[in-house]
């Protein structure tokens, strides 16, 4: 482990990150909401903290290895989580638990909140929350598309066969920078387009930018307690649906489409195609169920609420236009299943991810088929290409660890006092990076105890870091040479 | 498909099975409970029905193929389910739904019941229920140890590598008969020992035999609404624990231990060892949790109730000495997880089975380990032997189909009107062959609607037939040549 080089890296990161408090300072001055000093202080603390980490290690320029990568990625989210919590502690006087929960929920693009009464918050703090999610989304795209494949983790390795093999011994820095720039441009363009669309549709500029931040990041933080329902506008809901769906697409596909100036890559990619099918199927089931259960008057209302909630949950955004946890019969559970399914690998979304679901389903069916026809040889293919054993095992391992973690977290949440439905809801809300849950945590986490909040923080980190990256740190073998 | 040979087989089966009504006729006469005519009628209907299936096909002696096997095994449980329902319809005037549910619940050794008020039933009907489970358990042992491995299905194939390969083209009859006889002797001896022990511990002979039937079969039907709590006897609880645990052991291991007259096979088998560890771990967690939550006064009471319920649920028996669904905090969920874990392959128990859980866990850990040490080559081993790819994929396929079926069943149960906890409880109760559930189905299924009961019947059959055997019948490829 290159401890000092890692420390130097995080010193630089914190000094850079301290600049992110500047827009909040500006907004605090503009709205005169009394928080300018708070953000100035946060900036100063973060910058000086970074300086203290960086300066003693200024010459520690050792290239980081792949093994360092797991620790760096985990610490990245943990440290940003703490830094981003500063304004919540200093400005809102939240407890450390609440502030860290809120901040981690932001950076992981989960969007679960411990704050009830958003509409009364100072604008600069509201802006800070939205920006955290946007930056978190930015970090995640680079993590998912560029870094995790190099570590041999995450759904994206399926796209880049070379990553799991050759690259394991490579140094990881140069390739990342190049990929990151292209991805960020796309991310920025999507955000800009989304903000302008919201603005035209009737949001004020502050809300438009704030919600664009958390739509494209599939984060789900809102500046209003009522979330998107606050605006009660079909136009805004349609814009949100379009950009949430875009946020749930693999950014590597966006990248190719952007470069070649064509929509073909979306159609050709088997995961994006399945993403479309699953969306349609979910939409059909939920619309029909809402209509038949008579929850809303008329088919068009059922379609409206179903379309928004299915998109929001499939992409793990967590915006709401209705309290879906109170929808009748099987509807909440179907939505929970969609949340576990998730969107594409290489996006900002949470959940198991569609590419893994496809492979799991293909394997289940292949076993049945082979029993019926023992002589037939069937290879698991995706988009016409055979999938290697190594990748299949990796998907399996991911799935097992994901489900076991979710189960144990549910047990722990119940041990900490939640009932079954709430505990399950809290796990869905955090490990899938969804935000809203069921039962006691249907709309926010303000009413639950500190233990449950910390379990939630763990869940969000596990979900964001694709399980392996975090859990590997608990493996003694990781720390041995 | 050798349709006529299959029809002939089921004709013989029904004629043979009709004899199983004789003990009930005897008991009806002995207790003079007015049901003798009912059981006589059931006997007659079954025998004549069998005659009508058998006689026209008397010369159809074609050997059944492996592909026929899947259909035969599924029909075996379905047809016995219908035949066993006759006395419930004729004697208790239950609806067809209720009668079939009760009968299938018996034959699959699930033990969920639609009858509230057992203590008031005629003794002959009570005996019939207990005997159904005992015969179901008998059928299952042969199914799990001798038949399913030949079909390439079930955890036991892991023990007999040759079964999945060479044997696929073999004719299946001769090998089964020889194995079956040995297994049944063991089953009979265990039942006898259990009945004598219960009798000595204070049950009357009727209850002793009846409960021995359903203990060794890990079935869980009782002759009293209060189940084992009715007796309020520590001695009886200890006897039940011992014989439930024995029923959860692979009968192939019992067989080897019996032949060599030594206990070593139990110690040497990796699955039985893990079974022991999981039991101890579950016992420790539940005892501690009950004690710390103050549910019972004193550690010894906590241990007593924990030991019984952990055994009953891990072995999927479903006897109760307390309403565990009302135990505080995380305890019900931990028990539910134990129910999914299940006992050993080749036993009468339900659930995923420990051997599969071991392999799933090893695979999850191997993926983590390989990320930490990409150069290391690690093969999944069990008891010192490397496990083949084919077996690993089969375990994976099983697990995926099991979980997906459980999820879809939960959705369907909610669509039919159950709340989340009850629906989940109903699925656990049926697919894991447990019996008691959570919420509305915590003690019995008498209060739910017909749709839910039929979904329960499907769940029990899926669980009993190790998923593959039933689901393969829905695959178009199975019906093509
Ligand atoms: K989210
Ligand atoms: K049972």
């Amino acid at each position: 482990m290159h401890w000092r080089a890692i420390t130097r890296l995080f010193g630089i990161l914190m000094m850079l990150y301290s600049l992110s408090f500047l827009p909040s300072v500006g907004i605090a001055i503009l709205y005169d909401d009394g928080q300018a000093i708070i953000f100035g202080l946060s900036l100063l603390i973060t910058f000086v903290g970074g300086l203290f980490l960086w300066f003693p290690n200024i010459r520690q320029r050792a290239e980081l290895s792949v093994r360092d990568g797991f620790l760096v990625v985990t610490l990245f989210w943990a440290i940003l989580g703490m830094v981003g919590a500063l304004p919540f502690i200093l400005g809102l006087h939240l407890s450390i638990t609440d502030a860290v929960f809120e901040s981690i929920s932001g950076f992981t693009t989960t969007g679960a909140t411990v704050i009830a009464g958003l509409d009364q918050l100072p604008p600069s703090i509201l802006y800070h929350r939205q920006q955290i999610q946007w930056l978190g989304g930015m970090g995640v795209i680079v993590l998912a598309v560029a870094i995790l494949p190099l570590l041999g983790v995450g759904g994206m390795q399926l796209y880049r066969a070379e990553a799991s093999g050759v690259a394991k011994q490579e140094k990881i820095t140069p390739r990342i920078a190049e990929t990151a720039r292209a991805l960020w441009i796309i991310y920025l363009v999507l955000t800009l387009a989304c903000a302008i669309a919201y603005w035209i549709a009737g949001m004020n500029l502050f809300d438009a930018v704030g919600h664009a931040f958390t739509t494209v990041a599939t984060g789900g933080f809102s500046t209003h307690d009522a979330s998107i329902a606050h605006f009660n506008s079909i136009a805004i809901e349609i814009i949100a649906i379009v950009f949430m769906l875009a946020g749930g697409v693999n950014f590597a596909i966006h990248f190719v489409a952007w470069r070649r100036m064509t929509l073909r890559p979306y159609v050709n990619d088997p995961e994006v195609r399945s993403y479309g099918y699953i969306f349609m199927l979910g939409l059909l089931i939920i619309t029909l169920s809402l209509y038949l259960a008579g929850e809303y008057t008329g088919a068009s209302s059922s379609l409206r609420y179903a379309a928004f909630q299915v998109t929001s949950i499939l992409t793990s955004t967590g915006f709401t236009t209705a309290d879906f946890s109170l929808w009748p019969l099987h509807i909440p559970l179907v939505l929970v299943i969609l949340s576990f399914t998730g969107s594409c690998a290489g996006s900002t979304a949470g959940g198991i991810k569609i590419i893994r679901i496809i492979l799991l389903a293909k394997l289940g069916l292949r076993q049945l088929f082979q029993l019926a026809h023992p002589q037939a040889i069937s290879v698991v293919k995706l988009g016409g290409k055979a999938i290697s054993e190594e990748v299949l095992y990796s998907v399996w391992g991911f799935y097992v660890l994901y489900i076991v973690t979710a189960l144990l977290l549910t047990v722990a949440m119940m041990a900490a006092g939640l009932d079954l439905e709430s505990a399950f809801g809290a796990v869905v809300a955090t490990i899938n990076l969804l935000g809203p849950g069921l039962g006691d945590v249907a709309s926010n986490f303000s009413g639950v105890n500190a233990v449950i909040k910390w379990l939630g923080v763990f869940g969000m980190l596990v979900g964001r870091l694709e399980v392996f990256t975090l859990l590997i740190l608990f493996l003694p073998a990781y720390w041995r040479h």
Side-chain angles (χ1 to χ4, degrees), chain A:
Chain A
M1 222 54 75
H2 301 92
W3 285 110
R4 297 194 59 183
I6 294 175
T7 309
R8 173 179 164 275
L9 183 69
F10 280 104
I12 297 172
L13 178 76
M14 281 173 68
M15 289 189 290
L16 276 176
Y17 184 75
S18 69
L19 298 178
S20 83
F21 289 116
L22 281 178
S24 297
V25 173
I27 285 169
I29 293 171
L30 194 69
Y31 285 84
D32 195 18
D33 67 3
Q35 304 296 318
I37 182 81
I38 299 298
F39 283 102
L41 199 59
S42 300
L43 189 158
L44 202 69
I45 294 173
T46 308
F47 186 85
V48 172
L51 201 67
F52 269 97
L53 294 182
W54 170 68
F55 194 73
N57 302 302
I58 195 162
R59 301 205 179 282
Q60 302 290 331
R61 292 164 168 278
E63 281 275 8
L64 297 181
S65 70
V66 166
R67 256 179 84 235
D68 296 321
F70 296 99
L71 188 64
V72 168
V73 167
T74 305
L75 282 178
F76 181 85
W77 259 263
I79 289 178
L80 283 192
M82 286 190 281
V83 169
L86 286 175
F88 299 131
I89 298 173
L90 301 174
L92 297 184
H93 307 295
L94 294 188
S95 68
I96 289 183
T97 299
D98 281 357
V100 169
F101 183 95
E102 193 75 10
S103 179
I104 292 276
S105 170
F107 279 111
T108 56
T109 77
T110 304
T113 181
V114 291
I115 303 174
L118 292 173
D119 298 81
Q120 281 78 51
L121 286 194
S124 57
I125 299 259
L126 282 178
Y127 174 84
H128 173 67
R129 284 174 83 241
Q130 304 301 102
Q131 186 186 262
I132 278 182
Q133 285 212 319
W134 190 64
L135 294 174
M138 217 168 203
V140 144
I141 290 169
V142 174
L143 179 77
V145 178
I147 301 178
L148 288 185
L150 293 177
L151 302 183
V153 172
M156 278 297 291
Q157 63 174 297
L158 307 181
Y159 282 88
R160 306 169 57 153
E162 83 276 17
S164 59
V166 189
K168 280 221 171 89
Q169 295 318 302
E170 273 178 35
K171 299 291 182 267
I172 59 178
T173 329
R175 210 148 142 201
I176 294 171
E178 166 202 347
T179 318
R181 196 172 310 121
L183 295 174
W184 283 338
I185 291 174
I186 294 166
Y187 189 67
L188 203 65
V189 168
L190 277 175
T191 310
L192 213 64
C194 183
I196 292 170
Y198 277 146
W199 197 29
I200 293 173
M203 282 191 189
N204 66 39
L205 190 60
F206 182 82
D207 279 350
V209 171
H211 285 86
F213 276 176
T214 60
T215 306
V216 175
T218 66
F221 269 160
S222 175
T223 53
H224 303 285
D225 282 328
S227 187
I228 297 293
H230 172 86
F231 304 101
N232 192 20
S233 150
I234 293 187
I236 285 175
E237 287 166 30
I238 292 174
I239 295 166
I241 288 173
V242 168
F243 285 94
M244 287 191 284
L245 284 176
V249 168
N250 187 338
F251 272 70
I253 307 287
H254 280 317
F255 178 66
V256 177
W258 165 272
R259 264 231 281 234
R260 301 197 195 146
M261 281 294 150
T262 158
L263 295 178
R264 286 222 68 79
Y266 299 112
V267 184
N268 289 342
D269 185 64
E271 188 184 24
V272 175
R273 264 205 317 270
S274 302
Y275 176 50
Y277 295 142
I278 291 175
F279 170 69
M280 307 276 219
L281 183 68
L283 184 58
L284 184 73
I285 294 173
I286 300 298
T287 305
L288 265 178
S289 302
L290 282 176
Y291 181 68
L292 293 176
E295 181 73 4
Y296 296 101
T297 44
S300 65
S301 265
S302 302
L303 178 65
R304 173 182 174 182
Y305 288 101
F308 190 86
Q309 229 44 74
V310 165
T311 312
S312 173
I313 289 172
L314 183 66
T315 61
S316 80
T317 307
F319 280 145
T320 50
T321 54
D323 189 347
F324 66 86
S325 73
L326 299 180
W327 278 350
L329 299 170
H330 57 286
I331 303 179
L333 184 59
V334 173
L335 290 172
V336 160
I337 292 174
L338 287 179
S339 157
F340 272 102
T341 306
S343 302
C344 305
S347 74
T348 54
I352 290 171
K353 305 281 180 346
I354 285 166
I355 195 161
R356 294 199 185 89
I357 299 288
I358 298 173
L359 292 177
L360 288 167
K362 287 196 174 199
L363 262 145
L365 287 176
R366 183 178 73 165
Q367 282 316 113
L368 265 185
F369 183 81
Q370 283 209 324
L371 283 173
H373 293 275
Q375 263 66 48
I377 292 168
S378 54
V379 176
V380 173
K381 286 186 180 179
L382 195 71
K385 274 186 284 188
I387 300 293
S388 76
E389 300 293 309
E390 193 182 356
V391 166
L392 290 177
Y393 278 125
S394 158
V395 171
W396 184 0
F398 173 90
Y399 179 70
V400 168
L401 292 176
Y402 198 90
I403 296 297
V404 168
T405 308
L407 262 179
L408 294 183
L409 258 182
T410 310
V411 171
M413 297 255 188
M414 291 184 80
L418 289 183
D419 63 86
L420 176 64
E421 186 174 354
S422 303
F424 182 52
V427 170
V428 170
T430 53
I431 201 171
N432 292 345
L433 312 178
L434 177 54
L438 304 169
D440 296 347
V441 295
S443 56
N444 62 58
F445 277 69
S446 62
V448 301
N449 65 44
V451 176
I452 294 169
K453 284 172 190 158
W454 284 107
L455 290 169
V457 167
F458 180 76
M460 294 189 271
L461 288 174
V462 167
R464 182 73 295 171
L465 300 173
E466 306 259 321
V467 192
F468 284 130
T469 320
L470 181 57
L471 293 190
I472 200 174
L473 303 183
F474 294 94
L475 201 71
Y478 173 74
W479 298 100
R480 283 197 297 267
H481 278 285

PDB file of all heavy atoms in Angstrom, chain A residues 109-111 133 217-220 315-318 432-435, ligand 1:
ATOM      1  N   THR A 109     -25.235   9.675  -4.753  1.00  0.00           N
ATOM      2  CA  THR A 109     -26.444   9.924  -5.551  1.00  0.00           C
ATOM      3  C   THR A 109     -27.644   9.106  -5.069  1.00  0.00           C
ATOM      4  O   THR A 109     -28.493   8.719  -5.858  1.00  0.00           O
ATOM      5  CB  THR A 109     -26.243   9.669  -7.072  1.00  0.00           C
ATOM      6  OG1 THR A 109     -26.267   8.264  -7.324  1.00  0.00           O
ATOM      7  CG2 THR A 109     -24.969  10.263  -7.599  1.00  0.00           C
ATOM      8  N   THR A 110     -27.677   8.841  -3.743  1.00  0.00           N
ATOM      9  CA  THR A 110     -28.812   8.098  -3.200  1.00  0.00           C
ATOM     10  C   THR A 110     -30.038   8.999  -3.077  1.00  0.00           C
ATOM     11  O   THR A 110     -31.112   8.681  -3.566  1.00  0.00           O
ATOM     12  CB  THR A 110     -28.453   7.511  -1.822  1.00  0.00           C
ATOM     13  OG1 THR A 110     -27.288   6.721  -1.967  1.00  0.00           O
ATOM     14  CG2 THR A 110     -29.604   6.677  -1.292  1.00  0.00           C
ATOM     15  N   GLY A 111     -29.848  10.118  -2.385  1.00  0.00           N
ATOM     16  CA  GLY A 111     -30.953  11.062  -2.282  1.00  0.00           C
ATOM     17  C   GLY A 111     -31.886  10.813  -1.111  1.00  0.00           C
ATOM     18  O   GLY A 111     -32.928  11.454  -1.013  1.00  0.00           O
ATOM     19  N   GLN A 133     -24.740  16.123  -5.128  1.00  0.00           N
ATOM     20  CA  GLN A 133     -25.195  14.981  -5.936  1.00  0.00           C
ATOM     21  C   GLN A 133     -24.631  15.049  -7.339  1.00  0.00           C
ATOM     22  O   GLN A 133     -24.250  14.037  -7.920  1.00  0.00           O
ATOM     23  CB  GLN A 133     -26.725  14.944  -5.996  1.00  0.00           C
ATOM     24  CG  GLN A 133     -27.336  14.461  -4.709  1.00  0.00           C
ATOM     25  CD  GLN A 133     -28.622  13.700  -4.927  1.00  0.00           C
ATOM     26  OE1 GLN A 133     -29.444  14.080  -5.744  1.00  0.00           O
ATOM     27  NE2 GLN A 133     -28.800  12.624  -4.192  1.00  0.00           N
ATOM     28  N   ALA A 217     -27.812  13.168 -12.581  1.00  0.00           N
ATOM     29  CA  ALA A 217     -27.029  12.322 -11.675  1.00  0.00           C
ATOM     30  C   ALA A 217     -27.876  11.180 -11.115  1.00  0.00           C
ATOM     31  O   ALA A 217     -27.395  10.388 -10.312  1.00  0.00           O
ATOM     32  CB  ALA A 217     -26.468  13.163 -10.536  1.00  0.00           C
ATOM     33  N   THR A 218     -29.136  11.078 -11.540  1.00  0.00           N
ATOM     34  CA  THR A 218     -30.116  10.141 -10.956  1.00  0.00           C
ATOM     35  C   THR A 218     -30.016  10.130  -9.433  1.00  0.00           C
ATOM     36  O   THR A 218     -30.022   9.085  -8.800  1.00  0.00           O
ATOM     37  CB  THR A 218     -29.971   8.693 -11.493  1.00  0.00           C
ATOM     38  OG1 THR A 218     -28.725   8.155 -11.054  1.00  0.00           O
ATOM     39  CG2 THR A 218     -30.059   8.638 -12.999  1.00  0.00           C
ATOM     40  N   GLY A 219     -29.923  11.346  -8.877  1.00  0.00           N
ATOM     41  CA  GLY A 219     -29.716  11.474  -7.437  1.00  0.00           C
ATOM     42  C   GLY A 219     -31.005  11.598  -6.658  1.00  0.00           C
ATOM     43  O   GLY A 219     -31.243  10.891  -5.691  1.00  0.00           O
ATOM     44  N   GLY A 220     -31.859  12.537  -7.078  1.00  0.00           N
ATOM     45  CA  GLY A 220     -33.168  12.609  -6.469  1.00  0.00           C
ATOM     46  C   GLY A 220     -33.346  13.634  -5.367  1.00  0.00           C
ATOM     47  O   GLY A 220     -34.452  13.819  -4.882  1.00  0.00           O
ATOM     48  N   THR A 315     -34.327   3.970 -12.587  1.00  0.00           N
ATOM     49  CA  THR A 315     -33.040   4.675 -12.699  1.00  0.00           C
ATOM     50  C   THR A 315     -32.474   5.002 -11.326  1.00  0.00           C
ATOM     51  O   THR A 315     -31.450   5.664 -11.224  1.00  0.00           O
ATOM     52  CB  THR A 315     -33.210   5.988 -13.475  1.00  0.00           C
ATOM     53  OG1 THR A 315     -34.134   6.821 -12.757  1.00  0.00           O
ATOM     54  CG2 THR A 315     -33.735   5.753 -14.878  1.00  0.00           C
ATOM     55  N   SER A 316     -33.166   4.563 -10.268  1.00  0.00           N
ATOM     56  CA  SER A 316     -32.754   4.817  -8.880  1.00  0.00           C
ATOM     57  C   SER A 316     -32.625   6.300  -8.580  1.00  0.00           C
ATOM     58  O   SER A 316     -31.821   6.686  -7.740  1.00  0.00           O
ATOM     59  CB  SER A 316     -31.438   4.104  -8.548  1.00  0.00           C
ATOM     60  OG  SER A 316     -30.341   4.821  -9.024  1.00  0.00           O
ATOM     61  N   THR A 317     -33.400   7.144  -9.261  1.00  0.00           N
ATOM     62  CA  THR A 317     -33.348   8.574  -8.963  1.00  0.00           C
ATOM     63  C   THR A 317     -34.048   8.857  -7.638  1.00  0.00           C
ATOM     64  O   THR A 317     -33.480   9.494  -6.745  1.00  0.00           O
ATOM     65  CB  THR A 317     -34.010   9.391 -10.093  1.00  0.00           C
ATOM     66  OG1 THR A 317     -33.422   9.001 -11.322  1.00  0.00           O
ATOM     67  CG2 THR A 317     -33.804  10.875  -9.855  1.00  0.00           C
ATOM     68  N   GLY A 318     -35.293   8.412  -7.533  1.00  0.00           N
ATOM     69  CA  GLY A 318     -35.999   8.611  -6.276  1.00  0.00           C
ATOM     70  C   GLY A 318     -36.818   9.882  -6.194  1.00  0.00           C
ATOM     71  O   GLY A 318     -37.337  10.196  -5.119  1.00  0.00           O
ATOM     72  N   ASN A 432     -29.574   0.200  -3.083  1.00  0.00           N
ATOM     73  CA  ASN A 432     -29.875   0.440  -4.501  1.00  0.00           C
ATOM     74  C   ASN A 432     -29.740   1.918  -4.871  1.00  0.00           C
ATOM     75  O   ASN A 432     -30.051   2.299  -5.993  1.00  0.00           O
ATOM     76  CB  ASN A 432     -31.300  -0.015  -4.825  1.00  0.00           C
ATOM     77  CG  ASN A 432     -31.453  -1.520  -4.751  1.00  0.00           C
ATOM     78  OD1 ASN A 432     -30.478  -2.253  -4.739  1.00  0.00           O
ATOM     79  ND2 ASN A 432     -32.694  -1.979  -4.699  1.00  0.00           N
ATOM     80  N   LEU A 433     -29.334   2.755  -3.913  1.00  0.00           N
ATOM     81  CA  LEU A 433     -29.142   4.195  -4.141  1.00  0.00           C
ATOM     82  C   LEU A 433     -30.426   4.853  -4.606  1.00  0.00           C
ATOM     83  O   LEU A 433     -30.405   5.773  -5.436  1.00  0.00           O
ATOM     84  CB  LEU A 433     -28.037   4.428  -5.170  1.00  0.00           C
ATOM     85  CG  LEU A 433     -26.739   3.651  -4.951  1.00  0.00           C
ATOM     86  CD1 LEU A 433     -25.762   3.945  -6.069  1.00  0.00           C
ATOM     87  CD2 LEU A 433     -26.134   3.997  -3.609  1.00  0.00           C
ATOM     88  N   LEU A 434     -31.565   4.376  -4.061  1.00  0.00           N
ATOM     89  CA  LEU A 434     -32.857   4.879  -4.530  1.00  0.00           C
ATOM     90  C   LEU A 434     -33.267   6.169  -3.836  1.00  0.00           C
ATOM     91  O   LEU A 434     -33.613   7.151  -4.465  1.00  0.00           O
ATOM     92  CB  LEU A 434     -33.922   3.795  -4.309  1.00  0.00           C
ATOM     93  CG  LEU A 434     -35.355   4.167  -4.683  1.00  0.00           C
ATOM     94  CD1 LEU A 434     -35.414   4.661  -6.121  1.00  0.00           C
ATOM     95  CD2 LEU A 434     -36.270   2.980  -4.512  1.00  0.00           C
ATOM     96  N   GLY A 435     -33.215   6.155  -2.507  1.00  0.00           N
ATOM     97  CA  GLY A 435     -33.610   7.344  -1.753  1.00  0.00           C
ATOM     98  C   GLY A 435     -34.830   7.101  -0.902  1.00  0.00           C
ATOM     99  O   GLY A 435     -34.715   6.848   0.298  1.00  0.00           O
TER     100      GLY A 435
HETATM  101  K1  LIG C   1     -31.131   8.190  -6.050  1.00  0.00           K
END
